[in-house]
Coordinates of all heavy atoms in Angstrom, one line a residue:
M17 N 0.8 -1.2 0.0 CA 0.0 0.0 0.0 C 0.9 1.2 0.0 O 1.9 1.3 0.6 CB -0.9 0.0 1.2 CG -1.8 -1.2 1.5 SD -3.1 -1.4 0.3 CE -4.2 -0.1 0.5
R18 N 0.4 2.3 -0.7 CA 1.1 3.5 -0.6 C 0.4 4.4 0.4 O -0.8 4.5 0.4 CB 1.0 4.2 -2.0 CG 1.8 5.5 -2.0 CD 2.0 6.0 -3.5 NE 2.4 7.4 -3.4 CZ 1.8 8.3 -4.1 NH1 0.9 8.1 -4.9 NH2 2.3 9.6 -3.9
I19 N 1.2 4.9 1.4 CA 0.6 5.6 2.5 C 0.9 7.1 2.3 O 2.0 7.5 2.2 CB 1.2 5.1 3.8 CG1 0.9 3.6 3.9 CG2 0.6 5.9 5.0 CD1 1.6 2.9 5.0
I20 N -0.2 7.9 2.3 CA -0.1 9.3 2.1 C -0.2 10.0 3.5 O -1.0 9.6 4.4 CB -1.3 9.8 1.3 CG1 -1.4 9.0 0.0 CG2 -1.2 11.3 1.0 CD1 -0.2 9.1 -0.9
A21 N 0.7 10.9 3.7 CA 0.7 11.8 4.9 C 1.5 11.1 6.0 O 1.2 11.2 7.2 CB -0.6 12.2 5.4
L22 N 2.7 10.5 5.7 CA 3.6 10.0 6.7 C 4.0 11.1 7.6 O 4.3 10.8 8.8 CB 4.8 9.3 6.0 CG 5.9 8.8 6.9 CD1 5.4 7.7 7.8 CD2 7.1 8.3 6.1
R23 N 4.0 12.3 7.2 CA 4.4 13.4 8.0 C 3.5 13.5 9.3 O 4.0 13.8 10.4 CB 4.2 14.7 7.2 CG 4.6 15.9 8.0 CD 4.4 17.1 7.1 NE 4.7 18.3 7.9 CZ 4.5 19.5 7.4 NH1 4.0 19.7 6.2 NH2 4.8 20.6 8.1
A24 N 2.3 13.1 9.2 CA 1.4 13.1 10.3 C 1.9 12.2 11.4 O 1.8 12.5 12.6 CB -0.1 12.8 9.9
L25 N 2.3 11.0 11.0 CA 2.9 10.0 11.9 C 4.2 10.6 12.6 O 4.3 10.5 13.8 CB 3.2 8.7 11.2 CG 2.0 7.9 10.6 CD1 2.5 6.6 10.0 CD2 0.9 7.7 11.7
R26 N 5.0 11.1 11.8 CA 6.3 11.7 12.3 C 6.0 12.8 13.3 O 6.7 12.8 14.4 CB 7.1 12.2 11.2 CG 8.1 11.3 10.6 CD 9.1 12.0 9.7 NE 9.3 11.1 8.5 CZ 9.0 11.5 7.3 NH1 8.5 12.7 7.0 NH2 9.1 10.7 6.3
E27 N 5.1 13.7 13.0 CA 4.8 14.8 13.9 C 4.3 14.3 15.2 O 4.6 14.8 16.3 CB 3.9 15.8 13.2 CG 4.6 16.6 12.1 CD 3.6 17.5 11.4 OE1 2.4 17.4 11.6 OE2 4.1 18.3 10.5
F28 N 3.5 13.2 15.1 CA 2.9 12.6 16.3 C 3.9 12.0 17.2 O 4.0 12.2 18.4 CB 1.8 11.6 16.0 CG 1.1 11.1 17.2 CD1 0.2 11.8 17.9 CD2 1.4 9.8 17.7 CE1 -0.4 11.4 19.0 CE2 0.8 9.4 18.8 CZ -0.1 10.1 19.5
W29 N 4.8 11.2 16.6 CA 5.8 10.5 17.4 C 6.9 11.4 17.9 O 7.5 11.1 18.9 CB 6.3 9.2 16.8 CG 7.3 9.4 15.7 CD1 8.5 10.1 15.6 CD2 7.3 8.7 14.4 NE1 9.2 9.9 14.4 CE2 8.4 9.0 13.7 CE3 6.4 7.8 13.8 CZ2 8.7 8.5 12.4 CZ3 6.7 7.3 12.6 CH2 7.8 7.7 11.9
E30 N 7.0 12.6 17.3 CA 7.9 13.6 17.9 C 7.3 14.1 19.2 O 8.1 14.5 20.1 CB 8.2 14.7 16.9 CG 9.1 14.3 15.8 CD 9.3 15.3 14.7 OE1 8.6 16.4 14.7 OE2 10.0 15.0 13.7
R31 N 6.0 14.3 19.3 CA 5.4 14.7 20.5 C 5.1 13.6 21.5 O 5.0 13.9 22.7 CB 4.0 15.4 20.2 CG 4.1 16.7 19.4 CD 2.8 17.4 19.2 NE 1.7 16.5 18.9 CZ 1.3 16.2 17.7 NH1 2.0 16.6 16.6 NH2 0.2 15.4 17.5
H32 N 5.1 12.4 21.0 CA 4.8 11.2 21.8 C 5.9 10.1 21.5 O 5.6 9.1 20.8 CB 3.4 10.6 21.6 CG 2.3 11.6 21.9 ND1 1.8 11.8 23.1 CD2 1.7 12.5 21.1 CE1 0.9 12.7 23.1 NE2 0.8 13.2 21.8
P33 N 7.1 10.3 22.0 CA 8.2 9.3 21.6 C 7.9 7.8 21.8 O 8.3 7.0 21.0 CB 9.4 9.8 22.5 CG 9.1 11.2 22.7 CD 7.6 11.3 22.9
P34 N 7.1 7.4 22.8 CA 6.8 6.0 22.9 C 6.0 5.4 21.7 O 6.0 4.2 21.5 CB 6.0 5.9 24.2 CG 6.3 7.1 25.0 CD 6.6 8.1 24.0
A35 N 5.4 6.3 20.9 CA 4.6 5.9 19.8 C 5.5 5.6 18.6 O 5.0 5.0 17.6 CB 3.6 6.9 19.4
E36 N 6.7 6.1 18.6 CA 7.6 6.0 17.4 C 7.8 4.5 16.9 O 7.5 4.2 15.7 CB 8.9 6.6 17.5 CG 9.7 6.6 16.3 CD 11.0 7.4 16.3 OE1 11.3 8.0 17.4 OE2 11.7 7.4 15.3
T37 N 8.2 3.7 17.7 CA 8.5 2.3 17.3 C 7.3 1.6 16.8 O 7.3 1.0 15.7 CB 9.2 1.5 18.4 OG1 10.5 2.2 18.7 CG2 9.5 0.1 18.0
P38 N 6.2 1.6 17.5 CA 5.0 0.9 17.0 C 4.4 1.5 15.8 O 3.9 0.8 14.9 CB 4.0 0.9 18.2 CG 4.5 1.8 19.2 CD 6.0 2.1 18.9
L39 N 4.5 2.9 15.6 CA 4.0 3.5 14.4 C 4.9 3.1 13.2 O 4.4 2.9 12.1 CB 3.9 5.0 14.5 CG 2.7 5.4 15.3 CD1 2.7 6.9 15.6 CD2 1.4 5.1 14.6
R40 N 6.2 3.1 13.4 CA 7.1 2.7 12.4 C 6.9 1.2 12.0 O 6.9 0.9 10.8 CB 8.6 2.9 12.8 CG 9.1 4.3 12.8 CD 10.6 4.3 13.1 NE 11.1 5.7 13.1 CZ 11.5 6.3 12.1 NH1 11.5 5.8 10.9 NH2 12.0 7.5 12.2
A41 N 6.6 0.4 12.9 CA 6.3 -1.0 12.6 C 5.0 -1.1 11.8 O 4.9 -1.9 10.9 CB 6.2 -1.8 13.9
W42 N 4.0 -0.4 12.2 CA 2.7 -0.4 11.4 C 3.0 0.1 10.0 O 2.5 -0.5 9.1 CB 1.6 0.5 12.1 CG 0.4 0.6 11.2 CD1 -0.6 -0.3 11.2 CD2 0.2 1.5 10.2 NE1 -1.5 0.1 10.3 CE2 -1.0 1.2 9.6 CE3 0.9 2.6 9.7 CZ2 -1.6 1.9 8.6 CZ3 0.3 3.4 8.6 CH2 -0.9 3.0 8.1
Y43 N 3.7 1.2 9.9 CA 4.0 1.7 8.6 C 4.8 0.7 7.7 O 4.5 0.5 6.5 CB 4.9 3.0 8.7 CG 5.2 3.6 7.4 CD1 4.3 4.4 6.7 CD2 6.4 3.4 6.8 CE1 4.6 4.9 5.4 CE2 6.8 3.9 5.5 CZ 5.8 4.7 4.9 OH 6.1 5.2 3.6
A44 N 5.8 0.1 8.3 CA 6.5 -0.9 7.5 C 5.6 -2.1 7.0 O 5.7 -2.5 5.9 CB 7.7 -1.5 8.4
D45 N 4.8 -2.5 7.9 CA 3.8 -3.6 7.6 C 2.8 -3.1 6.5 O 2.7 -3.8 5.5 CB 3.1 -4.0 8.8 CG 2.1 -5.1 8.5 OD1 2.4 -6.1 7.9 OD2 0.9 -5.0 9.0
A46 N 2.2 -2.0 6.7 CA 1.2 -1.5 5.8 C 1.8 -1.1 4.4 O 1.2 -1.4 3.4 CB 0.5 -0.3 6.3
S47 N 3.0 -0.6 4.4 CA 3.6 -0.1 3.1 C 4.0 -1.3 2.3 O 4.2 -1.2 1.1 CB 4.7 0.8 3.4 OG 5.8 0.2 4.0
H48 N 4.2 -2.5 2.9 CA 4.6 -3.7 2.1 C 3.4 -4.6 1.9 O 3.6 -5.6 1.2 CB 5.7 -4.5 2.9 CG 7.0 -3.7 2.9 ND1 7.4 -3.0 3.9 CD2 8.0 -3.6 1.9 CE1 8.6 -2.5 3.7 NE2 8.9 -2.8 2.4
A49 N 2.3 -4.2 2.4 CA 1.1 -5.0 2.2 C 0.4 -4.8 0.8 O 0.6 -3.7 0.2 CB 0.1 -4.7 3.3
D50 N -0.4 -5.8 0.5 CA -1.2 -5.6 -0.8 C -2.6 -6.0 -0.4 O -3.2 -7.0 -0.8 CB -0.7 -6.6 -1.8 CG -1.4 -6.4 -3.2 OD1 -1.9 -5.3 -3.4 OD2 -1.5 -7.4 -3.9
W51 N -3.2 -5.1 0.4 CA -4.6 -5.3 0.9 C -5.6 -4.9 -0.1 O -5.6 -3.7 -0.5 CB -4.8 -4.5 2.2 CG -3.9 -5.0 3.3 CD1 -3.5 -6.3 3.6 CD2 -3.4 -4.2 4.4 NE1 -2.8 -6.3 4.7 CE2 -2.6 -5.1 5.2 CE3 -3.4 -2.9 4.7 CZ2 -1.9 -4.6 6.4 CZ3 -2.7 -2.4 5.8 CH2 -2.0 -3.3 6.6
K52 N -6.4 -5.8 -0.6 CA -7.4 -5.6 -1.6 C -8.8 -5.5 -1.0 O -9.7 -5.0 -1.7 CB -7.4 -6.7 -2.7 CG -6.1 -6.9 -3.4 CD -5.8 -5.7 -4.3 CE -4.6 -6.0 -5.1 NZ -4.1 -4.8 -5.8
T53 N -9.0 -6.0 0.2 CA -10.3 -6.0 0.8 C -10.1 -5.7 2.3 O -9.0 -5.9 2.9 CB -11.0 -7.3 0.6 OG1 -10.3 -8.3 1.4 CG2 -11.1 -7.7 -0.8
P54 N -11.2 -5.4 3.0 CA -11.2 -5.3 4.5 C -10.7 -6.6 5.1 O -10.0 -6.6 6.1 CB -12.6 -4.9 4.9 CG -13.1 -4.1 3.7 CD -12.5 -4.8 2.5
A55 N -11.1 -7.7 4.5 CA -10.8 -9.0 5.1 C -9.3 -9.2 5.1 O -8.7 -9.8 6.0 CB -11.5 -10.1 4.3
D56 N -8.6 -8.7 4.1 CA -7.1 -8.8 4.0 C -6.5 -8.0 5.2 O -5.6 -8.5 5.8 CB -6.6 -8.2 2.7 CG -6.9 -9.0 1.5 OD1 -7.3 -10.2 1.6 OD2 -6.9 -8.4 0.4
I57 N -7.0 -6.8 5.5 CA -6.5 -6.1 6.7 C -6.8 -6.8 7.9 O -6.0 -6.9 8.8 CB -7.2 -4.7 6.7 CG1 -6.7 -3.9 5.5 CG2 -6.8 -4.0 8.0 CD1 -7.3 -2.5 5.3
K58 N -8.1 -7.3 8.1 CA -8.5 -8.0 9.3 C -7.6 -9.2 9.5 O -7.3 -9.6 10.7 CB -10.0 -8.4 9.2 CG -10.6 -8.8 10.5 CD -10.7 -7.6 11.4 CE -11.6 -7.9 12.6 NZ -11.6 -6.8 13.5
S59 N -7.2 -9.9 8.5 CA -6.3 -11.1 8.7 C -5.0 -10.7 9.2 O -4.3 -11.5 9.9 CB -6.2 -11.9 7.4 OG -5.5 -11.3 6.5
A60 N -4.5 -9.5 8.9 CA -3.2 -9.1 9.3 C -3.3 -8.3 10.7 O -2.3 -8.4 11.5 CB -2.6 -8.2 8.3
H61 N -4.4 -7.7 10.9 CA -4.6 -6.9 12.1 C -6.0 -7.2 12.7 O -7.0 -6.5 12.4 CB -4.5 -5.4 11.8 CG -3.1 -4.9 11.4 ND1 -2.2 -4.6 12.2 CD2 -2.6 -4.9 10.1 CE1 -1.1 -4.3 11.6 NE2 -1.3 -4.5 10.3
R62 N -6.0 -8.2 13.5 CA -7.3 -8.7 14.1 C -8.0 -7.6 14.9 O -9.3 -7.7 15.0 CB -7.0 -9.9 14.9 CG -6.5 -11.1 14.1 CD -6.6 -12.4 14.8 NE -5.9 -13.5 14.2 CZ -6.3 -14.1 13.1 NH1 -7.5 -13.7 12.6 NH2 -5.6 -15.0 12.5
N63 N -7.3 -6.7 15.5 CA -8.0 -5.7 16.3 C -8.4 -4.4 15.5 O -9.0 -3.5 16.0 CB -7.1 -5.2 17.4 CG -6.9 -6.3 18.4 OD1 -7.8 -7.1 18.7 ND2 -5.7 -6.4 19.0
A64 N -8.2 -4.5 14.2 CA -8.6 -3.3 13.3 C -10.2 -3.3 13.3 O -10.9 -4.3 13.3 CB -8.1 -3.5 11.9
S65 N -10.7 -2.0 13.3 CA -12.1 -1.8 13.2 C -12.4 -1.0 11.9 O -11.6 -0.2 11.5 CB -12.6 -1.0 14.4 OG -12.3 -1.6 15.6
F66 N -13.5 -1.3 11.4 CA -13.9 -0.7 10.1 C -15.1 0.3 10.3 O -16.1 -0.1 11.0 CB -14.3 -1.7 9.1 CG -13.1 -2.6 8.8 CD1 -12.9 -3.8 9.6 CD2 -12.2 -2.3 7.8 CE1 -11.7 -4.6 9.4 CE2 -11.0 -3.1 7.6 CZ -10.8 -4.2 8.4
I67 N -15.0 1.5 9.8 CA -16.0 2.5 10.0 C -16.4 3.0 8.6 O -15.8 2.6 7.6 CB -15.6 3.6 10.9 CG1 -14.3 4.3 10.5 CG2 -15.5 3.1 12.4 CD1 -13.9 5.5 11.4
S68 N -17.4 3.9 8.5 CA -17.9 4.3 7.2 C -16.8 5.0 6.4 O -15.8 5.5 6.9 CB -19.1 5.3 7.5 OG -18.6 6.4 8.1
G69 N -17.0 5.0 5.1 CA -16.1 5.7 4.2 C -14.8 5.0 3.9 O -13.8 5.6 3.7
N70 N -14.9 3.7 4.0 CA -13.7 2.9 3.8 C -12.5 3.3 4.8 O -11.4 3.3 4.4 CB -13.2 2.9 2.4 CG -14.0 2.0 1.5 OD1 -14.5 1.0 2.0 ND2 -14.1 2.3 0.2
R71 N -12.9 3.6 6.0 CA -11.9 4.0 7.0 C -11.7 2.8 7.9 O -12.6 2.1 8.2 CB -12.3 5.2 7.7 CG -12.1 6.5 6.9 CD -12.5 7.7 7.6 NE -13.9 7.6 8.0 CZ -14.9 8.4 7.5 NH1 -14.6 9.4 6.7 NH2 -16.1 8.2 7.8
V72 N -10.4 2.7 8.4 CA -10.0 1.7 9.3 C -9.4 2.3 10.5 O -8.6 3.2 10.4 CB -9.0 0.7 8.6 CG1 -8.7 -0.5 9.5 CG2 -9.6 0.2 7.3
V73 N -9.7 1.8 11.7 CA -9.1 2.2 12.9 C -8.2 1.1 13.4 O -8.6 -0.1 13.6 CB -10.2 2.5 14.0 CG1 -9.5 2.9 15.3 CG2 -11.2 3.5 13.5
F74 N -6.9 1.5 13.6 CA -5.9 0.5 14.1 C -5.6 0.9 15.5 O -5.4 2.1 15.8 CB -4.6 0.6 13.2 CG -4.7 0.1 11.8 CD1 -5.0 1.0 10.8 CD2 -4.6 -1.2 11.5 CE1 -5.2 0.6 9.5 CE2 -4.7 -1.7 10.2 CZ -5.0 -0.8 9.2
N75 N -5.5 -0.1 16.3 CA -5.0 0.1 17.7 C -3.5 0.0 17.7 O -2.9 -1.0 17.1 CB -5.5 -1.0 18.6 CG -7.0 -0.9 18.7 OD1 -7.6 0.2 18.8 ND2 -7.7 -2.1 18.8
I76 N -2.8 0.9 18.2 CA -1.3 1.0 18.2 C -0.8 0.9 19.6 O -1.3 1.6 20.5 CB -0.8 2.3 17.5 CG1 -1.4 2.5 16.1 CG2 0.7 2.4 17.4 CD1 -1.0 1.5 15.0
K77 N 0.2 0.1 19.8 CA 0.9 0.0 21.1 C -0.1 -0.4 22.2 O -0.3 0.3 23.2 CB 1.7 1.2 21.5 CG 2.6 1.0 22.7 CD 3.4 2.2 23.0 CE 4.2 2.0 24.2 NZ 3.5 2.3 25.5
G78 N -0.7 -1.6 21.9 CA -1.6 -2.1 23.0 C -2.8 -1.2 23.2 O -3.3 -1.1 24.4
N79 N -3.2 -0.5 22.2 CA -4.4 0.4 22.3 C -4.1 1.7 23.0 O -5.0 2.4 23.4 CB -5.6 -0.3 23.0 CG -6.9 0.2 22.5 OD1 -7.0 0.8 21.4 ND2 -8.0 0.0 23.2
D80 N -2.8 2.0 23.2 CA -2.5 3.4 23.8 C -2.8 4.5 22.8 O -3.1 5.6 23.2 CB -1.0 3.4 24.2 CG -0.7 2.6 25.4 OD1 -1.6 2.2 26.1 OD2 0.6 2.4 25.7
Y81 N -2.6 4.1 21.5 CA -2.8 5.1 20.5 C -3.8 4.5 19.4 O -3.9 3.3 19.3 CB -1.5 5.4 19.8 CG -0.4 5.8 20.7 CD1 0.6 5.0 21.1 CD2 -0.4 7.1 21.3 CE1 1.6 5.3 22.0 CE2 0.5 7.5 22.3 CZ 1.5 6.6 22.6 OH 2.5 6.9 23.5
R82 N -4.4 5.4 18.7 CA -5.3 5.0 17.6 C -4.9 5.7 16.3 O -4.5 6.9 16.3 CB -6.8 5.5 17.9 CG -7.4 4.8 19.1 CD -7.9 3.4 18.7 NE -8.4 2.6 19.8 CZ -9.7 2.5 20.0 NH1 -10.6 3.2 19.3 NH2 -10.2 1.8 21.0
L83 N -5.1 5.0 15.3 CA -4.7 5.5 13.9 C -5.9 5.2 13.0 O -6.4 4.1 13.0 CB -3.5 4.7 13.4 CG -3.0 5.0 12.0 CD1 -2.6 6.4 11.8 CD2 -1.9 4.0 11.6
I84 N -6.4 6.3 12.3 CA -7.5 6.1 11.4 C -6.9 6.4 10.0 O -6.3 7.4 9.8 CB -8.7 7.1 11.7 CG1 -9.2 6.8 13.1 CG2 -9.7 6.9 10.6 CD1 -10.3 7.8 13.5
V85 N -7.2 5.5 9.1 CA -6.8 5.7 7.7 C -8.0 5.5 6.8 O -8.9 4.7 7.1 CB -5.7 4.7 7.3 CG1 -4.4 4.9 8.1 CG2 -6.1 3.3 7.3
A86 N -8.0 6.2 5.7 CA -9.0 6.0 4.6 C -8.3 5.2 3.6 O -7.1 5.5 3.2 CB -9.4 7.4 4.1
V87 N -9.0 4.2 3.1 CA -8.4 3.2 2.2 C -9.1 3.3 0.8 O -10.3 3.3 0.8 CB -8.5 1.8 2.8 CG1 -7.7 0.8 1.8 CG2 -7.9 1.7 4.2
R88 N -8.2 3.3 -0.2 CA -8.7 3.1 -1.6 C -8.1 1.8 -2.0 O -6.9 1.8 -2.5 CB -8.3 4.3 -2.4 CG -9.0 5.6 -2.1 CD -8.9 6.6 -3.2 NE -9.5 7.8 -2.8 CZ -9.3 9.0 -3.3 NH1 -8.4 9.1 -4.3 NH2 -9.9 10.0 -2.9
Y89 N -8.8 0.8 -1.9 CA -8.3 -0.6 -2.1 C -7.9 -0.7 -3.6 O -6.8 -1.3 -3.8 CB -9.4 -1.6 -1.8 CG -9.7 -1.7 -0.3 CD1 -10.8 -1.0 0.2 CD2 -8.8 -2.4 0.6 CE1 -11.1 -1.1 1.6 CE2 -9.1 -2.4 1.9 CZ -10.2 -1.7 2.4 OH -10.5 -1.8 3.8
A90 N -8.7 -0.3 -4.5 CA -8.3 -0.5 -6.0 C -7.0 0.2 -6.4 O -6.3 -0.3 -7.2 CB -9.5 0.0 -6.8
Q91 N -6.8 1.3 -5.7 CA -5.6 2.1 -6.1 C -4.4 1.7 -5.2 O -3.3 2.2 -5.4 CB -5.8 3.6 -6.0 CG -6.8 4.1 -7.0 CD -8.2 4.0 -6.6 OE1 -8.6 3.6 -5.5 NE2 -9.1 4.1 -7.6
G92 N -4.6 0.9 -4.1 CA -3.6 0.6 -3.2 C -3.1 1.8 -2.4 O -1.9 1.9 -2.1
L93 N -4.0 2.6 -2.0 CA -3.7 3.9 -1.2 C -4.3 3.9 0.2 O -5.4 3.4 0.4 CB -4.2 5.1 -2.0 CG -3.6 5.4 -3.3 CD1 -4.3 6.5 -4.0 CD2 -2.1 5.7 -3.2
M94 N -3.5 4.4 1.1 CA -4.1 4.7 2.5 C -3.7 6.1 2.8 O -2.6 6.6 2.6 CB -3.4 3.8 3.5 CG -3.7 2.3 3.3 SD -2.9 1.3 4.6 CE -4.4 0.9 5.4
F95 N -4.7 6.8 3.3 CA -4.6 8.2 3.7 C -4.7 8.3 5.2 O -5.7 7.9 5.8 CB -5.6 9.1 3.1 CG -5.6 9.1 1.6 CD1 -6.3 8.1 0.8 CD2 -4.9 10.1 0.9 CE1 -6.3 8.1 -0.6 CE2 -4.8 10.0 -0.5 CZ -5.6 9.1 -1.2
I96 N -3.7 8.8 5.9 CA -3.7 9.0 7.3 C -4.7 10.1 7.6 O -4.6 11.3 7.1 CB -2.3 9.5 7.9 CG1 -1.2 8.5 7.5 CG2 -2.4 9.7 9.4 CD1 -1.3 7.1 8.1
R97 N -5.8 9.8 8.4 CA -6.8 10.8 8.7 C -6.7 11.3 10.1 O -7.1 12.4 10.4 CB -8.2 10.2 8.5 CG -8.4 9.6 7.1 CD -8.4 10.7 6.0 NE -9.5 11.6 6.3 CZ -9.6 12.8 5.9 NH1 -8.6 13.4 5.2 NH2 -10.7 13.6 6.1
F98 N -6.2 10.4 11.0 CA -6.0 10.8 12.4 C -5.0 9.9 13.1 O -5.0 8.7 12.8 CB -7.4 10.6 13.1 CG -7.3 10.7 14.6 CD1 -7.4 11.9 15.3 CD2 -7.2 9.5 15.4 CE1 -7.3 12.0 16.6 CE2 -7.1 9.6 16.8 CZ -7.2 10.8 17.4
V99 N -4.2 10.4 13.9 CA -3.4 9.7 14.8 C -3.4 10.4 16.2 O -3.2 11.6 16.2 CB -1.9 9.5 14.3 CG1 -1.2 10.8 14.0 CG2 -1.1 8.6 15.2
G100 N -3.6 9.6 17.2 CA -3.7 10.3 18.5 C -3.7 9.3 19.7 O -3.7 8.0 19.4
T101 N -3.8 9.8 20.9 CA -3.9 8.9 22.0 C -5.3 8.3 22.1 O -6.2 8.8 21.4 CB -3.6 9.7 23.3 OG1 -4.6 10.6 23.5 CG2 -2.2 10.3 23.3
H102 N -5.5 7.3 22.9 CA -6.8 6.8 23.1 C -7.8 7.9 23.6 O -8.9 8.0 23.1 CB -6.8 5.6 24.0 CG -8.0 4.8 24.0 ND1 -8.0 3.5 23.5 CD2 -9.3 5.0 24.4 CE1 -9.3 3.0 23.6 NE2 -10.0 3.9 24.1
A103 N -7.3 8.7 24.5 CA -8.1 9.8 25.0 C -8.5 10.8 23.9 O -9.6 11.2 23.9 CB -7.4 10.5 26.2
D104 N -7.5 11.1 23.0 CA -7.8 12.0 21.9 C -8.9 11.4 21.0 O -9.8 12.1 20.6 CB -6.6 12.2 21.0 CG -5.5 13.0 21.7 OD1 -5.8 13.7 22.7 OD2 -4.3 12.8 21.3
Y105 N -8.8 10.1 20.8 CA -9.8 9.4 19.9 C -11.2 9.4 20.5 O -12.1 9.6 19.8 CB -9.3 7.9 19.8 CG -10.3 7.1 19.0 CD1 -10.3 7.1 17.6 CD2 -11.2 6.3 19.6 CE1 -11.1 6.3 16.8 CE2 -12.1 5.5 18.9 CZ -12.0 5.5 17.5 OH -12.9 4.7 16.8
D106 N -11.2 9.3 21.8 CA -12.5 9.3 22.5 C -13.2 10.7 22.3 O -14.5 10.8 22.5 CB -12.4 9.0 24.0 CG -12.1 7.5 24.2 OD1 -12.3 6.7 23.3 OD2 -11.6 7.2 25.3
R107 N -12.5 11.7 22.1 CA -13.0 13.1 21.9 C -13.4 13.5 20.5 O -14.0 14.5 20.3 CB -12.0 14.1 22.5 CG -11.9 14.1 24.0 CD -11.1 15.3 24.5 NE -9.7 15.3 24.1 CZ -8.7 14.7 24.7 NH1 -9.0 14.1 25.9 NH2 -7.5 14.8 24.3
I108 N -13.1 12.6 19.5 CA -13.4 12.9 18.2 C -14.6 12.1 17.6 O -15.0 11.1 18.3 CB -12.2 12.7 17.2 CG1 -11.9 11.2 17.1 CG2 -11.0 13.6 17.6 CD1 -11.0 10.9 16.0
D109 N -15.2 12.6 16.5 CA -16.2 11.8 15.8 C -15.4 11.0 14.7 O -15.2 11.6 13.6 CB -17.2 12.8 15.2 CG -18.2 12.1 14.3 OD1 -18.3 10.8 14.4 OD2 -18.9 12.8 13.5
A110 N -15.1 9.8 15.0 CA -14.3 9.0 14.1 C -15.0 8.8 12.8 O -14.3 8.8 11.7 CB -14.0 7.6 14.8
A111 N -16.2 8.7 12.7 CA -17.0 8.6 11.5 C -16.9 9.8 10.6 O -17.1 9.8 9.4 CB -18.4 8.2 11.7
G112 N -16.7 11.0 11.2 CA -16.6 12.2 10.5 C -15.2 12.7 10.0 O -15.1 13.7 9.4
I113 N -14.2 11.9 10.4 CA -12.8 12.3 10.1 C -12.6 11.9 8.6 O -12.8 10.9 8.2 CB -11.9 11.6 11.0 CG1 -12.0 12.2 12.4 CG2 -10.5 11.6 10.5 CD1 -10.9 12.8 13.0

């Protein structure tokens, strides 16, 4: 998958250093993946949740952090829509991101 807005991940882990290693691991996994369907993602990330608009919520570092991406399966693209702490996630409308 091609991941758009890696900068958002970098800026987040600069503010939250414990997130760097798990976000880099997620990025490495996702950027080498060839996910064509939500089932492909689910088989690789059992804790992933799917919300409207082809968005996926990933739990990062034992659910300390949340990552929302919009996926265009046919094009092999993922757009970073949100990265934050679990508390940050609780304050947003994930379906509206």
Side-chain angles (χ1 to χ4, degrees):
M17 304 294 291
R18 184 166 164 230
I19 301 166
I20 309 299
L22 175 61
R23 180 179 179 188
L25 297 182
R26 271 194 220 117
E27 288 174 354
F28 183 78
W29 74 52
E30 287 172 0
R31 291 189 317 272
H32 301 273
E36 182 174 1
T37 298
L39 284 171
R40 282 184 182 272
W42 175 86
Y43 179 83
D45 180 49
S47 64
H48 290 100
D50 185 26
W51 295 325
K52 300 290 186 196
T53 67
D56 293 340
I57 293 174
K58 195 67 167 176
S59 70
H61 294 274
R62 297 196 188 282
N63 291 327
S65 301
F66 300 88
I67 55 179
S68 64
N70 281 332
R71 285 180 298 245
V72 183
V73 180
F74 292 94
N75 297 322
I76 305 294
K77 192 179 177 270
N79 209 20
D80 287 349
Y81 307 105
R82 294 281 179 97
L83 172 65
I84 301 174
V85 299
V87 183
R88 290 194 184 162
Y89 295 98
Q91 293 83 13
L93 295 173
M94 297 183 110
F95 299 88
I96 306 292
R97 303 296 295 158
F98 169 85
V99 59
T101 65
H102 194 111
D104 294 337
Y105 177 83
D106 288 342
R107 289 191 294 269
I108 66 165
D109 173 16
I113 292 237

